[in-house]
Amino acid sequence: MSDEKFRSSLNEECGVVAIHNHKHAAELTYFALHSLQHRGQEAAGIATYDVNDEDCHLHSNLGLVTEVFNTPESMTKLTGDYALGHVRYATDGNNILRNVQPFVFRFHDQKISFAHNGQIVNAKSLRNQLEDQGAVFNSTSDTELLIHLIRRSPQPTFMEQLKDALRQLEGGFTFVLMVGNHIYGAVDPYSFRPLVVGQFPDGGYMLASETCALDVCGAEFVREVKAGEIIHFHEEEYDLISYTENTTTAIEAMEYVYFARPDSNIAGINVHTARKNSGKHLAEEASAPEADIVIGVPNSSLSAASGYAEASGLPYEMGLVKNQYVGRSFIQPTQALRDKAVRMKLSAVRGVVQGKSVVMVDDSIVRGTTCKRIVRLLKNAGAKEVHVRIASPLFMFPSFYGIDVSTSSELIAAHKTEDEIREYIGADSLSYLSVDGLVDAIGIDYDAPYNGLCMESFTGYYPAPIADFKERYLEQLTPLQEAFLDKGKQVNHAK
């Protein structure tokens, strides 16, 4: 992924949806995918199962949901009361058509469709092992591993085969599967990625990556699928099955900080509330008493900025405006054109920031290029000072569980000190929220490290194995990363 995309700081891998036993399954899946578009903008797809012809129907392609489903025919062929949906960002596997999900496999004895969110960290090892045994892969995606493991399992039933397959996977993942008129959902043993259950008032159930999709479809929240669980929908009922007892809770903290929509709830915590609390904690830890106003970077930082303003007593103003109608970014050949592309996406409100000392609240700094351009925008619009406040800790370590930052070379905090970052982005001051401040702001309380949050990118603590990535991770550790781990007296937690 290129640094030159305007909002290229982070990308989630994808979002998943499943609809069980509803006459408008395809349409509901479309609405749900539209609400999850923020989780993946490179491809989209819907698969349905129709009991009348006992067959699966699929429509998928590269592009946004509205681009993929842009004709009446793209929806009318998706018949049946059972459906899966997927929006994709290509963390593992190239962004090519054969990697677009859901995947549909037709065997002599069953038809299986499935979709995946997350990243399997032992995918390379498993793929090599399966290829040595004669497996032929249709895609370059780690998702396809699941079907090969299921079909090669010696277990007598599909449920036991699925459990057997899931126990061989490492990393962060949620799966939704459709086998005939049976819908399954599965969550990794750490619950890195959310998967929620909803029930429709007129019958039927749905699964989705976020509760905002339930709300859009008119489904009532029932529960979350927890770490190491499989949920199986059949007839008008569902069963919950544990496929492993070796579980803990390590919800990806970046879901709260950046990825999830503010109207979603994760583990009973509203995302907007968590972000606003992080802004309040940030104001307590890093005040800017000489500043005139507080502004947020649209859209994921607005909640934190409002919390910062409220706690600091400074006015909260709209100093930056995002153009909602600009399409996906592309690489520009010159610096001048790249800067113009940034201004297409985001504009500083000159009448608000001119002559003012501004506190600019953002959710994170990953590579630093975007933050640098925004600071420049504000100063070019006449801001007297720009004090950058980040509503999360230093993003110093790579992530391997479904975020597209898996190398230390991409992380500015792995190579520059906080003061060097401030100088690079051109800010008058720079401060980050502490690790404890973020944990307290989110407010979940599990009996697990960091109260049940996965904080690997901020602390270097990896709750799950990183398997095939371990050697590269250790080779790329920078002096700043090693000093951070030594200062915290943490062993290298990469398993």
Side-chain angles (χ1 to χ4, degrees):
M1 191 184 68
S2 169
D3 281 357
E4 310 307 342
K5 292 183 179 181
F6 164 67
R7 194 57 170 103
S8 64
S9 57
L10 289 170
N11 280 282
E12 176 68 71
E13 184 171 354
C14 51
V16 297
V17 178
I19 304 292
H20 173 79
N21 197 23
H22 196 286
K23 62 182 179 180
H24 298 300
E27 291 85 354
L28 288 168
T29 303
Y30 173 87
F31 295 140
L33 291 182
H34 197 275
S35 72
L36 296 175
Q37 187 73 87
H38 59 286
R39 299 184 74 87
Q41 295 89 46
E42 293 187 352
I46 296 175
T48 61
Y49 179 78
D50 193 335
V51 296
N52 295 316
D53 59 15
E54 297 184 342
D55 200 6
C56 293
H57 306 276
L58 173 68
H59 184 79
S60 60
N61 210 333
L62 302 174
L64 301 172
V65 174
T66 53
E67 296 170 340
V68 173
F69 299 94
N70 60 353
T71 65
E73 293 75 22
S74 63
M75 293 297 297
T76 54
K77 68 179 182 180
L78 297 173
T79 60
D81 296 347
Y82 308 87
L84 300 183
H86 189 263
V87 287
R88 183 171 192 264
Y89 176 82
T91 298
D92 184 87
N94 298 323
N95 189 36
I96 53 179
L97 190 57
R98 68 185 183 200
N99 287 336
V100 178
Q101 301 177 39
F103 291 153
V104 175
F105 291 87
R106 294 176 173 87
F107 301 103
H108 69 92
D109 56 342
Q110 62 186 179
K111 299 177 177 70
I112 302 176
S113 308
F114 63 100
H116 165 226
N117 173 28
Q119 182 155 303
I120 299 167
V121 296
N122 62 336
K124 182 178 179 181
S125 300
L126 283 174
R127 188 182 181 107
N128 291 345
Q129 175 186 323
L130 288 164
E131 287 181 349
D132 288 343
Q133 296 171 3
V136 177
F137 286 79
N138 294 321
S139 72
T140 62
S141 170
D142 58 347
T143 304
E144 193 182 341
L145 287 165
L146 185 68
I147 194 66
H148 291 276
L149 294 173
I150 289 172
R151 294 296 293 184
R152 289 172 179 268
S153 172
Q155 298 301 320
T157 66
F158 179 80
M159 177 59 76
E160 291 303 316
Q161 292 166 357
L162 177 58
K163 291 163 68 174
D164 185 29
L166 292 171
R167 284 193 286 263
Q168 297 178 64
L169 303 179
E170 296 178 349
F173 55 82
T174 59
F175 283 98
V176 290
L177 303 94
M178 182 169 62
V179 185
N181 60 350
H182 291 245
I183 296 287
Y184 300 81
V187 173
D188 67 69
Y190 302 85
S191 194
F192 288 115
R193 303 280 159 229
L195 186 65
V196 294
V197 183
Q199 184 172 17
F200 297 106
D202 52 348
Y205 290 91
M206 75 177 288
L207 294 168
S209 292
E210 292 185 34
T211 60
C212 65
L214 307 185
D215 297 336
V216 165
C217 292
E220 182 180 353
F221 173 79
V222 175
R223 72 182 316 273
E224 295 179 335
V225 185
K226 297 182 180 179
E229 283 188 343
I230 298 170
I231 188 166
H232 173 207
F233 296 95
H234 54 94
E235 303 295 337
E236 296 293 332
E237 301 175 350
Y238 66 83
D239 300 319
L240 287 165
I241 301 100
S242 294
Y243 65 87
T244 177
E245 295 181 357
N246 186 22
T247 64
T248 188
T249 300
I251 299 168
E252 178 56 64
M254 287 303 295
E255 291 282 354
Y256 293 98
V257 172
Y258 175 70
F259 290 129
R261 270 184 29 169
D263 53 334
S264 286
N265 295 333
I266 303 173
I269 302 295
N270 174 252
V271 172
H272 162 74
T273 300
R275 290 176 184 168
K276 187 170 183 179
N277 287 341
S278 71
K280 292 178 178 180
H281 280 69
L282 181 60
E284 294 170 0
E285 294 180 3
S287 63
E290 304 304 317
D292 300 310
I293 59 173
V294 177
I295 66 172
V297 178
N299 287 322
S300 58
S301 306
L302 300 182
S303 299
S306 69
Y308 190 100
E310 185 175 310
S312 64
L314 294 171
Y316 174 53
E317 296 285 355
M318 186 174 67
L320 292 165
V321 176
K322 183 176 182 180
N323 185 348
Q324 306 291 346
Y325 302 101
V326 175
R328 288 165 292 169
S329 300
F330 55 94
I331 298 173
Q332 297 286 354
T334 69
Q335 182 64 47
L337 288 176
R338 285 194 289 267
D339 289 342
K340 284 183 171 61
V342 171
R343 288 193 290 271
M344 284 178 61
K345 286 269 188 171
L346 197 70
S347 299
V349 183
R350 183 176 296 271
V352 171
V353 304
Q354 190 169 28
K356 301 287 179 59
S357 176
V358 176
V359 175
M360 185 194 91
V361 178
D362 205 354
D363 52 76
S364 57
I365 299 178
V366 180
R367 298 169 180 88
T369 52
T370 297
C371 190
K372 180 178 183 177
R373 291 172 190 160
I374 297 174
V375 171
R376 187 188 303 134
L377 274 179
L378 291 169
K379 292 204 169 183
N380 287 344
K384 182 174 64 177
E385 296 176 326
V386 179
H387 301 278
V388 175
R389 298 293 182 265
I390 304 301
S392 63
L394 281 159
F395 200 113
M396 183 173 285
F397 297 90
S399 177
F400 303 101
Y401 307 129
I403 305 174
D404 71 319
V405 184
S406 60
T407 63
S408 295
S409 62
E410 300 174 87
L411 306 174
I412 191 171
H415 300 274
K416 295 180 183 294
T417 65
E418 190 170 324
D419 194 55
E420 289 171 337
I421 296 171
R422 180 201 59 75
E423 184 176 353
Y424 172 78
I425 64 175
D428 293 277
S429 70
L430 170 66
S431 295
Y432 292 79
L433 183 62
S434 67
V435 168
D436 288 342
L438 181 59
V439 172
D440 290 344
I442 294 172
I444 66 171
D445 189 19
Y446 290 89
D447 184 17
Y450 303 107
N451 289 1
L453 291 171
C454 178
M455 300 280 286
E456 86 281 32
S457 294
F458 309 126
T459 64
Y461 175 79
Y462 295 91
I466 62 174
D468 295 341
F469 294 93
K470 181 176 180 179
E471 183 177 355
R472 185 180 69 182
Y473 166 73
L474 294 175
E475 289 176 350
Q476 291 187 348
L477 275 176
T478 68
L480 279 176
Q481 290 171 325
E482 291 177 337
F484 181 92
L485 293 171
D486 289 343
K487 184 179 179 181
K489 295 183 171 57
Q490 291 190 26
V491 298
N492 190 339
H493 289 283
K495 301 179 183 178

